[in-house]
Amino acid sequence: MTLKFWDGGLSCFALKPSINSSPRELVYRIPLLVRMTHWLIAFALLVLLVSGLQIFNAHPSLYWGSASKFDRPFLDIGSAENASGEKRGYLRLGSRQWDTTGVLGLSKGGDGQADARAFPHWILLPSYQSLGDGRRWHFFFAWCLALGLGLYFVANFIRGRLRRDLLPTGRDVRGIGRSVLDHLKFRFSHGARHYNVLQKIAYLSVMFGLVPLVILTGLALSPGFDAAAPWLLILCGGRQSARSLHFLGTFALVLFVFVHVFHVIAAGPINEMRSIITGWFFVREPAEKTTEEGDLK
């Protein structure tokens, strides 16, 4: 096993493993500031999600354009009585409608009684219906997210991690087919030194696509910012379009988080969590690799 600093530091010391063990390097993979901002961003996104659902519950329908056309939402979550007089929850997308009783539209409230709300109380912040409190939580943690993102980009820019670790190389692009096939077969690298091409594309898409989309559409929904920069709302296609893009972008981020967590579990949760908590990561090296520190030959 070799102990090294990944971010340009010198090798501290090396331990020669036994003949029957797999050669490994313990590398300092993630700097402290990057780890701290990672968890700040993750927590801020969680609070923004659950408080945003509280805000959405005030009018659980989405439209395109500048104004709400109450008879023509493209997405609608609610409840209504069926032919037998029983109240049921539903999710309507375009002309398609699904019964979602117990999950969306109609579910058990905190008192155990049927609660006609788009999203159930247990996923909301606060759990009781309050548009004003939901907005307070949402706006405060929007600033926390902005702080975390700003520090994250500064930390990564100073160390050159965005260019070094996330920009796909020509070799990455040529191997994208193999990477897709490996992922479809649930073959993940355990202890790989570098991100694979699909990880790089996903991270770059989120950092420079989804996150800016959610932030800009959120700003477009702010009356104060709208007064200062009305062009942003026009660029979004109107207030209702901005609201819809904000909602859809948020759930694209949620999908990314689920895929991200699944990948962490599949690639070795102990090693992956060690790296994001302590910064240190075990990297498996090819058995035939020869180094001056005394790794296996």
Side-chain angles (χ1 to χ4, degrees):
M1 180 181 72
T2 307
L3 181 63
K4 290 185 176 180
F5 286 92
W6 195 334
D7 287 332
L10 296 175
S11 173
C12 294
F13 62 86
L15 297 177
K16 184 175 181 179
S18 64
I19 298 299
N20 296 324
S21 66
S22 299
R24 299 192 302 175
E25 271 188 328
L26 183 61
V27 297
Y28 189 65
R29 187 186 197 190
I30 305 177
L32 176 61
L33 184 57
V34 175
R35 301 197 310 273
M36 292 175 61
T37 54
H38 171 276
W39 290 113
L40 174 59
I41 291 169
F43 185 69
L45 285 174
L46 175 62
V47 177
L48 286 169
L49 172 64
V50 294
S51 59
L53 294 180
Q54 171 69 255
I55 297 171
F56 178 81
N57 267 9
H59 185 67
S61 301
L62 295 178
Y63 314 84
W64 296 115
S66 299
S68 303
K69 301 175 182 178
F70 293 99
D71 58 335
R72 287 185 294 173
F74 77 87
L75 184 146
D76 186 34
I77 303 174
S79 59
E81 292 185 357
N82 58 18
S84 61
E86 181 185 10
K87 202 168 188 179
R88 307 291 295 177
Y90 65 83
L91 166 65
R92 184 183 298 125
L93 181 61
S95 59
R96 301 290 301 276
Q97 181 169 313
W98 297 269
D99 188 317
T100 55
T101 303
V103 181
L104 300 175
L106 187 69
S107 57
K108 286 186 177 181
D111 57 1
Q113 302 299 314
D115 188 11
R117 282 195 282 183
F119 287 91
H121 72 97
W122 54 266
I123 201 174
L124 304 178
L125 183 67
S127 60
Y128 54 88
Q129 186 63 46
S130 175
L131 177 59
D133 287 346
R135 282 177 169 170
R136 291 186 188 96
W137 281 100
H138 203 72
F139 294 156
F140 177 79
F141 276 90
W143 284 110
C144 292
L145 176 64
L147 174 64
L149 287 172
L151 292 174
Y152 179 84
F153 279 108
V154 168
N156 280 283
F157 180 78
I158 290 175
R159 289 180 171 270
R161 294 184 77 248
L162 293 177
R163 173 187 54 79
R164 185 180 66 247
D165 295 338
L166 292 181
L167 284 181
T169 63
R171 182 178 180 182
D172 288 332
V173 175
R174 290 190 296 271
I176 192 169
R178 169 59 62 183
S179 186
V180 170
L181 186 61
D182 286 343
H183 277 72
L184 290 175
K185 294 181 177 180
F186 298 103
R187 294 176 180 171
F188 300 102
S189 299
H190 296 266
R193 180 182 292 272
H194 302 291
Y195 298 123
N196 63 59
V197 64
L198 294 185
Q199 286 177 300
K200 292 180 178 181
I201 292 174
Y203 294 149
L204 289 174
S205 298
V206 168
M207 286 191 292
F208 298 104
L210 274 181
V211 169
L213 172 68
V214 172
I215 291 175
L216 291 175
T217 52
L219 288 173
L221 293 173
S222 168
F225 193 88
D226 186 28
W231 55 266
L232 181 58
L233 197 58
I234 296 172
L235 184 64
C236 291
R239 182 169 299 278
Q240 294 305 316
S241 292
R243 183 171 181 263
S244 297
L245 290 172
H246 192 69
F247 183 88
L248 296 174
T250 297
F251 273 86
L253 279 176
V254 171
L255 177 61
F256 165 78
V257 170
F258 275 112
V259 174
H260 177 63
V261 171
F262 172 77
H263 190 276
V264 166
I265 295 172
I270 295 177
N271 200 24
E272 295 286 341
M273 290 302 295
R274 179 194 297 112
S275 71
I276 199 60
I277 293 175
T278 70
W280 293 94
F281 183 77
F282 271 117
V283 175
R284 295 195 179 278
E285 299 291 348
E288 66 276 7
K289 181 179 178 179
T290 303
T291 68
E292 295 180 0
E293 291 86 22
D295 285 347
L296 287 181
K297 297 181 179 181

